[in-house]
Amino acid sequence: MKNITILLTVATLTFSAQSHAEGWFDSLKSMLGFSQEAEDETPNTADMVGSIIENLNVDSSQAEGGLGSLFNYVKDNLTADKFNQLSEAMPGINELINEAPDVSNLKSTDGLGSLLDKAAEYSESVKAINDVKKQFEALGLKPEMIMEYIEQAKAYLNTEEGKQTKELLTQGLQDLIK
């Protein structure tokens, strides 16, 4: 019994001194400017692209171009102030927009695509949706993947830090996700 008491006393003193020493050492590191900073959890385009690549099994040019297409659509559907807020919250959006394929002179050859091209002549919103569809096709992606990209982007932003960014993105995609 005496051995157990001694063992418990030694263990308690050891762990107590060790935890106190670690706290003291962390304090010293902090005073000297060596404290480990918390990992930056701010949403960013590089991580969003990585999420798309990983979850949708696409390559980097498809991920960047597809997101660029969506952000270009958002840019056209938000006020300049709101898009600036979005760009500030997620730097790199304009670079992604530059990765979206130019489909301004691309005409559809299938029946439904031709009908959308014709309707786009009379409606800016139909033209914008048709452009996103064409951009995805130009990237080698099926138009059905547009909604998958949107869901992945929203899921990526589904954090406390990404809440406001997600709201702006959802506002800009409102006509596309109806």
Side-chain angles (χ1 to χ4, degrees):
M1 184 70 170
K2 190 173 184 179
N3 287 339
I4 292 177
T5 306
I6 293 172
L7 183 62
L8 286 174
T9 304
V10 170
T12 303
L13 290 173
T14 303
F15 289 120
S16 145
Q18 193 173 29
S19 65
H20 178 70
E22 287 174 7
W24 174 83
F25 188 65
D26 287 341
S27 297
L28 179 63
K29 286 192 314 185
S30 179
M31 285 184 351
L32 296 174
F34 294 113
S35 64
Q36 186 176 19
E37 293 181 22
E39 192 174 316
D40 187 15
E41 296 181 19
T42 304
N44 63 76
T45 55
D47 287 346
M48 183 180 276
V49 167
S51 174
I52 294 288
I53 291 169
E54 182 179 322
N55 294 312
L56 297 181
N57 197 28
V58 296
D59 64 36
S60 61
S61 64
Q62 289 173 318
E64 292 169 354
L67 284 171
S69 298
L70 293 177
F71 283 122
N72 190 47
Y73 183 87
V74 168
K75 182 179 182 177
D76 291 341
N77 288 288
L78 287 178
T79 65
D81 286 342
K82 285 187 178 183
F83 186 75
N84 285 337
Q85 286 176 353
L86 181 63
S87 295
E88 288 172 9
M90 279 192 70
I93 287 177
N94 290 315
E95 288 78 8
L96 284 179
I97 289 173
N98 292 334
E99 297 300 318
D102 179 14
V103 294
S104 57
N105 295 320
L106 187 64
K107 297 290 180 196
S108 298
T109 56
D110 63 347
L112 181 59
S114 295
L115 285 173
L116 280 173
D117 284 346
K118 193 65 172 166
E121 294 175 16
Y122 302 102
S123 169
E124 284 299 314
S125 63
V126 172
K127 180 186 180 323
I129 292 169
N130 193 34
D131 283 349
V132 172
K133 176 189 160 298
K134 286 180 184 181
Q135 288 169 326
F136 269 68
E137 290 172 337
L139 291 164
L141 301 168
K142 294 181 179 182
E144 298 84 39
M145 290 191 76
I146 295 169
M147 288 308 297
E148 292 178 40
Y149 269 67
I150 292 170
E151 291 305 315
Q152 286 298 315
K154 288 169 56 177
Y156 170 77
L157 294 169
N158 204 23
T159 64
E160 190 61 38
E161 295 81 12
K163 185 178 179 181
Q164 184 178 9
T165 306
K166 181 180 175 181
E167 288 174 13
L168 289 168
L169 179 66
T170 302
Q171 285 176 20
L173 293 169
Q174 202 165 29
D175 290 338
L176 192 61
I177 56 179
K178 283 185 180 179

